[in-house]
mmCIF file of all heavy atoms in Angstrom:
data_model
loop_
_atom_site.group_PDB
_atom_site.id
_atom_site.type_symbol
_atom_site.label_atom_id
_atom_site.label_comp_id
_atom_site.label_asym_id
_atom_site.label_seq_id
_atom_site.Cartn_x
_atom_site.Cartn_y
_atom_site.Cartn_z
ATOM 1 N N LEU A 266 0.838 -1.201 0.000
ATOM 2 C CA LEU A 266 0.000 0.000 0.000
ATOM 3 C C LEU A 266 0.874 1.252 0.000
ATOM 4 O O LEU A 266 0.606 2.217 -0.731
ATOM 5 C CB LEU A 266 -0.926 -0.018 1.209
ATOM 6 C CG LEU A 266 -1.893 1.155 1.343
ATOM 7 C CD1 LEU A 266 -2.806 1.239 0.135
ATOM 8 C CD2 LEU A 266 -2.720 1.011 2.621
ATOM 9 N N ARG A 267 1.935 1.235 0.831
ATOM 10 C CA ARG A 267 2.853 2.382 0.853
ATOM 11 C C ARG A 267 3.544 2.547 -0.497
ATOM 12 O O ARG A 267 3.769 3.679 -0.959
ATOM 13 C CB ARG A 267 3.879 2.203 1.971
ATOM 14 C CG ARG A 267 3.311 2.425 3.365
ATOM 15 C CD ARG A 267 4.414 2.531 4.395
ATOM 16 N NE ARG A 267 5.098 1.271 4.575
ATOM 17 C CZ ARG A 267 4.772 0.353 5.484
ATOM 18 N NH1 ARG A 267 3.748 0.566 6.283
ATOM 19 N NH2 ARG A 267 5.454 -0.768 5.586
ATOM 20 N N LEU A 268 3.881 1.436 -1.140
ATOM 21 C CA LEU A 268 4.527 1.498 -2.455
ATOM 22 C C LEU A 268 3.594 2.136 -3.476
ATOM 23 O O LEU A 268 4.032 2.951 -4.305
ATOM 24 C CB LEU A 268 4.923 0.089 -2.900
ATOM 25 C CG LEU A 268 5.575 -0.013 -4.278
ATOM 26 C CD1 LEU A 268 6.900 0.747 -4.306
ATOM 27 C CD2 LEU A 268 5.799 -1.481 -4.652
ATOM 28 N N ALA A 269 2.317 1.781 -3.414
ATOM 29 C CA ALA A 269 1.341 2.384 -4.329
ATOM 30 C C ALA A 269 1.290 3.891 -4.122
ATOM 31 O O ALA A 269 1.195 4.665 -5.075
ATOM 32 C CB ALA A 269 -0.032 1.759 -4.117
ATOM 33 N N LYS A 270 1.366 4.315 -2.878
ATOM 34 C CA LYS A 270 1.375 5.752 -2.579
ATOM 35 C C LYS A 270 2.623 6.417 -3.150
ATOM 36 O O LYS A 270 2.566 7.512 -3.708
ATOM 37 C CB LYS A 270 1.310 5.964 -1.069
ATOM 38 C CG LYS A 270 -0.018 5.568 -0.443
ATOM 39 C CD LYS A 270 0.037 5.565 1.068
ATOM 40 C CE LYS A 270 0.312 6.949 1.618
ATOM 41 N NZ LYS A 270 0.294 6.958 3.109
ATOM 42 N N GLU A 271 3.763 5.725 -3.007
ATOM 43 C CA GLU A 271 5.015 6.284 -3.530
ATOM 44 C C GLU A 271 4.986 6.437 -5.042
ATOM 45 O O GLU A 271 5.691 7.277 -5.600
ATOM 46 C CB GLU A 271 6.185 5.394 -3.113
ATOM 47 C CG GLU A 271 6.469 5.417 -1.614
ATOM 48 C CD GLU A 271 7.463 4.356 -1.202
ATOM 49 O OE1 GLU A 271 7.988 3.665 -2.106
ATOM 50 O OE2 GLU A 271 7.708 4.208 0.015
ATOM 51 N N LYS A 272 4.176 5.631 -5.691
ATOM 52 C CA LYS A 272 4.054 5.713 -7.146
ATOM 53 C C LYS A 272 3.053 6.779 -7.570
ATOM 54 O O LYS A 272 2.642 6.830 -8.718
ATOM 55 C CB LYS A 272 3.662 4.345 -7.722
ATOM 56 C CG LYS A 272 4.770 3.303 -7.645
ATOM 57 C CD LYS A 272 4.302 1.992 -8.243
ATOM 58 C CE LYS A 272 5.438 0.980 -8.279
ATOM 59 N NZ LYS A 272 6.498 1.351 -9.242
ATOM 60 N N GLY A 273 2.656 7.626 -6.608
ATOM 61 C CA GLY A 273 1.789 8.736 -6.940
ATOM 62 C C GLY A 273 0.346 8.544 -6.552
ATOM 63 O O GLY A 273 -0.517 9.302 -6.984
ATOM 64 N N ILE A 274 0.078 7.526 -5.753
ATOM 65 C CA ILE A 274 -1.288 7.266 -5.331
ATOM 66 C C ILE A 274 -1.375 7.522 -3.829
ATOM 67 O O ILE A 274 -0.903 6.741 -3.027
ATOM 68 C CB ILE A 274 -1.702 5.811 -5.637
ATOM 69 C CG1 ILE A 274 -1.466 5.485 -7.111
ATOM 70 C CG2 ILE A 274 -3.158 5.582 -5.273
ATOM 71 C CD1 ILE A 274 -1.664 4.033 -7.458
ATOM 72 N N SER A 275 -1.958 8.636 -3.447
ATOM 73 C CA SER A 275 -2.086 8.938 -2.024
ATOM 74 C C SER A 275 -3.309 8.228 -1.472
ATOM 75 O O SER A 275 -4.209 7.849 -2.211
ATOM 76 C CB SER A 275 -2.200 10.448 -1.787
ATOM 77 O OG SER A 275 -3.356 10.950 -2.425
ATOM 78 N N THR A 276 -3.361 8.062 -0.146
ATOM 79 C CA THR A 276 -4.462 7.307 0.440
ATOM 80 C C THR A 276 -5.123 8.064 1.572
ATOM 81 O O THR A 276 -4.475 8.687 2.393
ATOM 82 C CB THR A 276 -3.984 5.947 0.984
ATOM 83 O OG1 THR A 276 -2.967 6.165 1.949
ATOM 84 C CG2 THR A 276 -3.477 5.077 -0.133
ATOM 85 N N HIS A 277 -6.424 8.004 1.572
ATOM 86 C CA HIS A 277 -7.225 8.436 2.723
ATOM 87 C C HIS A 277 -7.902 7.180 3.222
ATOM 88 O O HIS A 277 -8.706 6.585 2.514
ATOM 89 C CB HIS A 277 -8.283 9.458 2.304
ATOM 90 C CG HIS A 277 -9.365 9.627 3.321
ATOM 91 N ND1 HIS A 277 -9.152 10.219 4.525
ATOM 92 C CD2 HIS A 277 -10.664 9.248 3.298
ATOM 93 C CE1 HIS A 277 -10.275 10.214 5.212
ATOM 94 N NE2 HIS A 277 -11.210 9.621 4.485
ATOM 95 N N TRP A 278 -7.518 6.742 4.431
ATOM 96 C CA TRP A 278 -8.075 5.465 4.861
ATOM 97 C C TRP A 278 -8.445 5.477 6.319
ATOM 98 O O TRP A 278 -7.865 6.171 7.123
ATOM 99 C CB TRP A 278 -7.129 4.316 4.529
ATOM 100 C CG TRP A 278 -5.825 4.293 5.271
ATOM 101 C CD1 TRP A 278 -5.060 5.337 5.682
ATOM 102 C CD2 TRP A 278 -5.129 3.119 5.680
ATOM 103 N NE1 TRP A 278 -3.939 4.888 6.299
ATOM 104 C CE2 TRP A 278 -3.950 3.535 6.317
ATOM 105 C CE3 TRP A 278 -5.393 1.751 5.561
ATOM 106 C CZ2 TRP A 278 -3.033 2.645 6.846
ATOM 107 C CZ3 TRP A 278 -4.473 0.869 6.073
ATOM 108 C CH2 TRP A 278 -3.312 1.310 6.705
ATOM 109 N N GLN A 279 -9.475 4.696 6.631
ATOM 110 C CA GLN A 279 -9.919 4.508 8.001
ATOM 111 C C GLN A 279 -9.983 3.010 8.220
ATOM 112 O O GLN A 279 -10.964 2.360 7.901
ATOM 113 C CB GLN A 279 -11.278 5.170 8.235
ATOM 114 C CG GLN A 279 -12.266 4.938 7.119
ATOM 115 C CD GLN A 279 -13.514 5.733 7.320
ATOM 116 O OE1 GLN A 279 -13.509 6.766 7.970
ATOM 117 N NE2 GLN A 279 -14.596 5.233 6.759
ATOM 118 N N LEU A 280 -8.887 2.464 8.723
ATOM 119 C CA LEU A 280 -8.718 1.021 8.759
ATOM 120 C C LEU A 280 -9.712 0.359 9.689
ATOM 121 O O LEU A 280 -9.833 0.717 10.836
ATOM 122 C CB LEU A 280 -7.305 0.676 9.205
ATOM 123 C CG LEU A 280 -6.952 -0.815 9.150
ATOM 124 C CD1 LEU A 280 -7.117 -1.341 7.751
ATOM 125 C CD2 LEU A 280 -5.553 -1.036 9.634
ATOM 126 N N SER A 281 -10.425 -0.604 9.182
ATOM 127 C CA SER A 281 -11.320 -1.400 10.014
ATOM 128 C C SER A 281 -11.359 -2.837 9.507
ATOM 129 O O SER A 281 -12.404 -3.432 9.384
ATOM 130 C CB SER A 281 -12.718 -0.796 10.042
ATOM 131 O OG SER A 281 -13.165 -0.494 8.748
ATOM 132 N N MET A 282 -10.177 -3.320 9.160
ATOM 133 C CA MET A 282 -9.980 -4.702 8.769
ATOM 134 C C MET A 282 -10.418 -4.982 7.342
ATOM 135 O O MET A 282 -10.295 -6.070 6.849
ATOM 136 C CB MET A 282 -10.744 -5.645 9.716
ATOM 137 C CG MET A 282 -10.561 -7.121 9.418
ATOM 138 S SD MET A 282 -11.810 -8.079 10.217
ATOM 139 C CE MET A 282 -13.162 -7.848 9.113
ATOM 140 N N TRP A 283 -10.857 -3.964 6.674
ATOM 141 C CA TRP A 283 -11.635 -4.245 5.488
ATOM 142 C C TRP A 283 -10.832 -4.184 4.199
ATOM 143 O O TRP A 283 -9.853 -4.882 4.039
ATOM 144 C CB TRP A 283 -12.847 -3.330 5.463
ATOM 145 C CG TRP A 283 -13.363 -3.108 6.844
ATOM 146 C CD1 TRP A 283 -13.363 -1.955 7.549
ATOM 147 C CD2 TRP A 283 -13.914 -4.083 7.734
ATOM 148 N NE1 TRP A 283 -13.879 -2.141 8.791
ATOM 149 C CE2 TRP A 283 -14.231 -3.427 8.933
ATOM 150 C CE3 TRP A 283 -14.161 -5.444 7.635
ATOM 151 C CZ2 TRP A 283 -14.791 -4.081 10.004
ATOM 152 C CZ3 TRP A 283 -14.727 -6.088 8.703
ATOM 153 C CH2 TRP A 283 -15.036 -5.409 9.859
ATOM 154 N N LEU A 284 -11.240 -3.324 3.287
ATOM 155 C CA LEU A 284 -10.704 -3.362 1.940
ATOM 156 C C LEU A 284 -10.099 -2.014 1.612
ATOM 157 O O LEU A 284 -10.820 -1.048 1.462
ATOM 158 C CB LEU A 284 -11.847 -3.698 0.969
ATOM 159 C CG LEU A 284 -11.526 -4.058 -0.457
ATOM 160 C CD1 LEU A 284 -10.726 -5.335 -0.505
ATOM 161 C CD2 LEU A 284 -12.810 -4.230 -1.243
ATOM 162 N N ALA A 285 -8.764 -1.937 1.522
ATOM 163 C CA ALA A 285 -8.112 -0.662 1.260
ATOM 164 C C ALA A 285 -8.058 -0.414 -0.238
ATOM 165 O O ALA A 285 -7.630 -1.258 -1.002
ATOM 166 C CB ALA A 285 -6.699 -0.675 1.822
ATOM 167 N N VAL A 286 -8.499 0.750 -0.663
ATOM 168 C CA VAL A 286 -8.549 1.073 -2.085
ATOM 169 C C VAL A 286 -7.793 2.358 -2.326
ATOM 170 O O VAL A 286 -8.089 3.376 -1.720
ATOM 171 C CB VAL A 286 -10.011 1.243 -2.558
ATOM 172 C CG1 VAL A 286 -10.036 1.609 -4.016
ATOM 173 C CG2 VAL A 286 -10.785 -0.032 -2.316
ATOM 174 N N ALA A 287 -6.801 2.321 -3.206
ATOM 175 C CA ALA A 287 -6.072 3.528 -3.566
ATOM 176 C C ALA A 287 -6.294 3.785 -5.044
ATOM 177 O O ALA A 287 -6.160 2.898 -5.866
ATOM 178 C CB ALA A 287 -4.582 3.340 -3.300
ATOM 179 N N LEU A 288 -6.666 5.004 -5.401
ATOM 180 C CA LEU A 288 -6.949 5.269 -6.800
ATOM 181 C C LEU A 288 -6.358 6.595 -7.251
ATOM 182 O O LEU A 288 -6.383 7.575 -6.534
ATOM 183 C CB LEU A 288 -8.453 5.300 -7.075
ATOM 184 C CG LEU A 288 -9.264 6.352 -6.325
ATOM 185 C CD1 LEU A 288 -10.317 6.908 -7.251
ATOM 186 C CD2 LEU A 288 -9.906 5.722 -5.117
ATOM 187 N N PRO A 289 -5.766 6.614 -8.468
ATOM 188 C CA PRO A 289 -5.242 7.853 -9.009
ATOM 189 C C PRO A 289 -6.311 8.586 -9.813
ATOM 190 O O PRO A 289 -7.134 7.970 -10.470
ATOM 191 C CB PRO A 289 -4.120 7.374 -9.919
ATOM 192 C CG PRO A 289 -4.562 6.026 -10.374
ATOM 193 C CD PRO A 289 -5.429 5.453 -9.286
ATOM 194 N N VAL A 290 -6.293 9.907 -9.746
ATOM 195 C CA VAL A 290 -7.177 10.739 -10.546
ATOM 196 C C VAL A 290 -6.287 11.665 -11.370
ATOM 197 O O VAL A 290 -5.204 12.030 -10.935
ATOM 198 C CB VAL A 290 -8.129 11.544 -9.639
ATOM 199 C CG1 VAL A 290 -9.133 12.296 -10.475
ATOM 200 C CG2 VAL A 290 -8.854 10.603 -8.688
ATOM 201 N N LYS A 291 -6.723 12.062 -12.547
ATOM 202 C CA LYS A 291 -5.870 12.791 -13.494
ATOM 203 C C LYS A 291 -5.190 14.001 -12.876
ATOM 204 O O LYS A 291 -3.974 14.125 -12.892
ATOM 205 C CB LYS A 291 -6.693 13.217 -14.708
ATOM 206 C CG LYS A 291 -7.115 12.032 -15.603
ATOM 207 C CD LYS A 291 -7.880 12.528 -16.808
ATOM 208 C CE LYS A 291 -8.313 11.372 -17.705
ATOM 209 N NZ LYS A 291 -9.086 11.840 -18.864
ATOM 210 N N GLN A 292 -5.942 14.926 -12.306
ATOM 211 C CA GLN A 292 -5.356 16.156 -11.794
ATOM 212 C C GLN A 292 -4.976 16.036 -10.319
ATOM 213 O O GLN A 292 -3.873 16.324 -9.931
ATOM 214 C CB GLN A 292 -6.336 17.321 -12.002
ATOM 215 C CG GLN A 292 -6.672 17.584 -13.459
ATOM 216 C CD GLN A 292 -5.454 18.024 -14.244
ATOM 217 O OE1 GLN A 292 -4.577 18.693 -13.717
ATOM 218 N NE2 GLN A 292 -5.398 17.635 -15.513
#
């Protein structure tokens, strides 16, 4: 997950054991 962030995908997450989703948007 941290690697995905380093590749330009930042994360807003509230961990509750579930499903972490990181997504890039154009701008």
Side-chain angles (χ1 to χ4, degrees):
L266 181 59
R267 286 192 292 268
L268 178 63
K270 291 170 63 177
E271 292 170 4
K272 290 180 175 292
I274 306 172
S275 62
T276 58
H277 163 70
W278 67 325
Q279 43 187 26
L280 186 59
S281 48
M282 182 197 80
W283 324 113
L284 192 64
V286 179
L288 60 141
V290 186
K291 290 182 180 179
Q292 299 296 327

